[in-house]
Amino acid sequence: MKKTLLFIAFACILQCTVSAQSEKLDSVLIQKIKEEGLQHSQVMDIIFNLTDANGNRLTNSPGYFKAANYAVSKLKAWGLQNAKLDPWGEFGKGWELEKSYLALTAPFYKSLEAYPKAWCGGTLGLQKGDVIVVNIKDSATIAAYAGKLKGKIIVTDKLDAYQLSFKADAKRYTDEELAKMAAAKPAEPRQAFNPADTAAARRMREQMAQRSIPQRLLTQLKDLAKAEGAIAILSSSPRNHDGTIFAQQGGAYKATDPENFLDIAIGIEDYNTILRLAKAGIPVSLETEVKTKFFDKDLQAYNVIAEIPGTDPLLKDEIVMIGAHLDSWQAGTGATDNAAGSAVMLEAIRILKTLGFQNKRTIRIGLWSGEEEGLLGSMGYVKKTFADPANMNLLPEHNKFSAYFNIDNGTGKVRGIYLQGNAACKDIFAQWFAPLKDITDGTITISNTGGTDHQSFDAVGLPGFQFIQDPMEYDTRNHHSNMDVYEHLSENDLKQIATVVAAFVLDAAQRDQKLPRKELPKPRPAGQRF
């Protein structure tokens, strides 16, 4: 009798152990994914078409729509269904830079590398003007420049010393860093999701905090300059060095917003040269010609959506989703931010479609617009499809959703995944990583990561995940700069990312149950913008 009871107890323990490790993985298909993704990849051709052949992809610009239509055409050619440009709401005006020239003409000639900020007006032809150094501390000091700015090119009296760097621009995570991620403890209960808390928004706030002139005073100065007929204002930062120039938006872009005063980003070396000369009493002159164009006939913005319908009678209405943002800034071609993510998601879909397996759940791809302005495209899609985080009234597809996987940290290969506090997925993902150990470490961290579109899903209680990627040069050299171009991509890393993503999608689409969810979040406080 005791032996029988012991046997039953052992069997129960064994059954529980097996149950906890019972992911049914298709090793044959996973091997085929590896072969297709690593040996027959098309990811570099896709990313060439999104970057070199296209230009930048500022939301609602001609470049964005060209890239989005390219993606739709490829998805249709691969046999996906419902491939379309999907409107998510009003964004505002598109903008395109048609010409840009800036040069120092006195006390000597020097061509300057310069990047006008997005949604700024132009110069209405070639303009020549003297530099005026503006030293402002408050509104009163700005008013003191009234009558002095017409025909001038403005430089604020802010000399930022260039700091020599003794660190390499690019890096990969060390084993110690990955181990630290894996050992992280769960974070405190999350606060309501704030779309302003994106990587881009935080970085912009940090940059503004480094300046001696508050943003409100700079805005007042630009308003005065525009009213008086100044030509432009030059701007820089300690990050703009060694040929790398970070340039984002120069102001608002909504339908009723006027053209922003021309703000031109230049390297700190050139900026400081101009400022030193002018402060030494040596007259400094520049000439510039900037031509920009606004697009306001259609203020709606669009994501790219397509899917591979599910085939299982019981599971075909459930959804596994992958995505990345397609939009970019204007100084480069957005190669690492985020043509890399968009290309590997397109490649992952191509891999899965090429294999022709019968996916139980529907597999859907979303390429988002408006991410750079605050995750707008993915949030708009989530709001109209699954739930509005402001009231948490759940739509029917909310219950049918299994998981969303995102890529948006550059060209670096996948080293693991952030659980975003969803501890119940840890053992599941550990099993999914097991057959991929030859191409990824499979580090799993309970930690959250922010600044990209998985947060839009997480904000309404849907399982949304971002992969851990090697940093490479993302923050030091590429992110929102003129150096965010094709040459800074790592081909082998991109092949690996697409392969890992395709394998995860396969596992999610075929498992018996949807992925576990965290507790449903409460509605956001009134007045917090979506």
Side-chain angles (χ1 to χ4, degrees):
M1 183 66 177
K2 288 183 178 179
K3 289 183 177 179
T4 302
L5 291 174
L6 286 172
F7 177 79
I8 292 173
F10 176 76
C12 289
I13 293 171
L14 180 61
Q15 183 177 1
C16 291
T17 303
V18 171
S19 176
Q21 302 175 350
S22 60
E23 292 296 302
K24 301 172 184 177
L25 305 183
D26 190 328
S27 58
V28 174
L29 268 178
I30 291 172
Q31 187 57 40
K32 289 182 178 179
I33 286 174
K34 289 183 186 179
E35 181 178 350
E36 181 66 27
L38 300 176
Q39 303 301 323
H40 307 289
S41 176
Q42 295 182 20
V43 71
M44 297 310 291
D45 179 67
I46 295 169
I47 210 163
F48 164 77
N49 281 282
L50 294 178
T51 57
D52 285 350
N54 185 82
N56 75 74
R57 302 176 306 281
L58 190 72
T59 295
N60 270 13
S61 71
Y64 177 82
F65 285 111
K66 181 180 176 183
N69 284 312
Y70 163 80
V72 169
S73 68
K74 294 300 289 186
L75 291 163
K76 288 180 177 179
W78 294 331
L80 274 78
Q81 296 186 19
N82 303 318
K84 60 184 178 181
L85 297 183
D86 187 51
W88 55 260
E90 184 172 314
F91 171 78
K93 295 177 286 190
W95 180 90
E96 184 177 56
L97 180 64
E98 295 186 326
K99 186 173 184 178
S100 178
Y101 163 71
L102 179 68
L104 178 70
T105 56
F108 53 86
Y109 181 87
K110 180 185 179 184
S111 61
L112 302 178
E113 190 168 12
Y115 294 88
K117 296 181 181 179
W119 292 291
C120 284
T123 59
L124 300 178
L126 181 65
Q127 302 291 332
K128 299 181 180 181
D130 296 332
V131 167
I132 182 172
V133 177
V134 173
N135 189 342
I136 57 176
K137 299 179 181 178
D138 51 32
S139 297
T141 54
I142 293 175
Y145 287 97
K148 301 177 181 178
L149 301 180
K150 183 176 178 59
K152 302 294 185 182
I153 295 174
I154 300 168
V155 174
T156 59
D157 191 1
K158 176 70 166 61
L159 187 69
D160 287 312
Y162 169 64
Q163 300 293 327
L164 292 173
S165 175
F166 295 93
K167 294 181 180 179
D169 286 338
K171 65 162 288 184
R172 294 192 184 274
Y173 283 123
T174 64
D175 291 343
E176 292 75 16
E177 288 171 322
L178 292 173
K180 186 176 180 180
M181 289 185 190
K185 302 297 182 184
E188 294 295 320
R190 68 179 184 179
Q191 302 296 315
F193 169 64
N194 183 355
D197 189 30
T198 64
R202 289 196 301 273
R203 184 171 287 105
M204 185 172 289
R205 291 196 297 271
E206 291 167 1
Q207 290 176 8
M208 293 312 305
Q210 294 173 359
R211 297 188 64 93
S212 61
I213 305 172
Q215 179 62 43
R216 62 178 180 84
L217 293 181
L218 286 173
T219 299
Q220 291 177 28
L221 174 61
K222 288 181 180 182
D223 289 343
L224 178 63
K226 184 176 182 180
E228 292 221 334
I231 297 172
I233 186 170
L234 305 184
S235 59
S236 191
S237 84
R239 298 183 71 213
N240 289 9
H241 60 82
D242 299 318
T244 298
I245 299 174
F246 297 84
Q248 296 175 214
Q249 75 189 67
Y253 51 80
K254 298 300 183 184
T256 57
D257 293 325
E259 292 185 3
N260 297 289
F261 182 65
L262 180 57
D263 187 339
I264 305 176
I266 65 174
I268 192 172
E269 299 93 340
D270 290 330
Y271 188 93
N272 286 351
T273 296
I274 292 168
L275 184 56
R276 281 192 298 267
L277 287 167
K279 292 186 71 173
I282 300 174
V284 180
S285 298
L286 298 163
E287 64 179 17
T288 182
E289 183 174 7
V290 174
K291 185 178 181 181
T292 67
K293 187 174 182 179
F294 288 82
F295 302 87
D296 57 6
K297 289 185 179 180
D298 185 0
L299 300 173
Q300 295 291 305
Y302 300 82
N303 300 317
V304 174
I305 302 292
E307 61 187 19
I308 306 173
T311 60
D312 187 285
L314 298 178
L315 301 178
K316 64 182 181 180
D317 291 333
E318 296 182 358
I319 304 159
V320 175
M321 197 162 186
I322 61 174
H325 75 87
L326 183 60
D327 65 310
S328 75
W329 287 110
Q330 75 281 9
T333 56
T336 67
D337 184 27
N338 186 32
S342 294
V344 299
M345 291 308 184
L346 288 167
E347 170 67 1
I349 282 287
R350 186 200 66 79
I351 292 169
L352 294 170
K353 192 64 180 172
T354 297
L355 296 181
F357 78 102
Q358 298 298 300
N359 48 294
K360 294 180 180 179
R361 291 181 176 83
T362 293
I363 299 170
R364 187 177 296 168
I365 184 173
L367 302 180
W368 315 115
S369 64
E371 190 273 351
E372 296 293 3
E373 292 73 36
L375 315 186
L376 300 180
S378 60
M379 287 195 297
Y381 178 80
V382 166
K383 181 178 179 180
K384 75 173 188 174
T385 309
F386 303 112
D388 184 345
N391 56 37
M392 285 306 297
N393 293 331
L394 307 185
L395 299 174
E397 284 206 28
H398 190 281
N399 186 53
K400 300 175 183 177
F401 192 85
S402 180
Y404 172 78
F405 300 101
N406 194 78
I407 287 289
D408 183 22
N409 285 144
T411 189
K413 68 180 180 180
V414 168
R415 305 296 296 274
I417 197 167
Y418 296 95
L419 289 175
Q420 207 70 18
N422 192 341
C425 287
K426 181 177 181 180
D427 290 338
I428 296 169
F429 290 166
Q431 294 175 67
W432 291 5
F433 272 125
L436 303 174
K437 283 296 185 181
D438 55 331
I439 61 172
T440 179
D441 303 84
T443 298
I444 301 172
T445 178
I446 194 68
S447 299
N448 295 350
T449 185
T452 192
D453 294 292
H454 69 288
Q455 289 180 284
S456 298
F457 294 82
D458 187 59
V460 296
L462 296 174
F465 306 96
Q466 169 79 12
F467 289 95
I468 301 170
Q469 294 175 256
D470 276 330
M472 311 299 274
E473 307 168 297
Y474 192 64
D475 283 323
T476 57
R477 186 64 65 176
N478 308 143
H479 190 249
H480 301 178
S481 83
N482 61 322
M483 293 295 174
D484 193 2
V485 292
Y486 187 96
E487 275 67 29
H488 291 265
L489 296 165
S490 172
E491 180 175 354
N492 288 335
D493 285 23
L494 294 172
K495 292 178 180 178
Q496 184 258 17
I497 300 170
T499 302
V500 172
V501 170
F504 262 59
V505 173
L506 167 70
D507 296 336
Q510 303 304 85
R511 80 185 305 264
D512 293 335
Q513 303 294 326
K514 299 192 298 288
L515 286 182
R517 299 183 178 188
K518 297 183 291 186
E519 181 181 352
L520 201 66
K522 296 178 181 179
R524 290 220 287 297
Q528 187 174 352
R529 80 175 179 89
F530 186 78

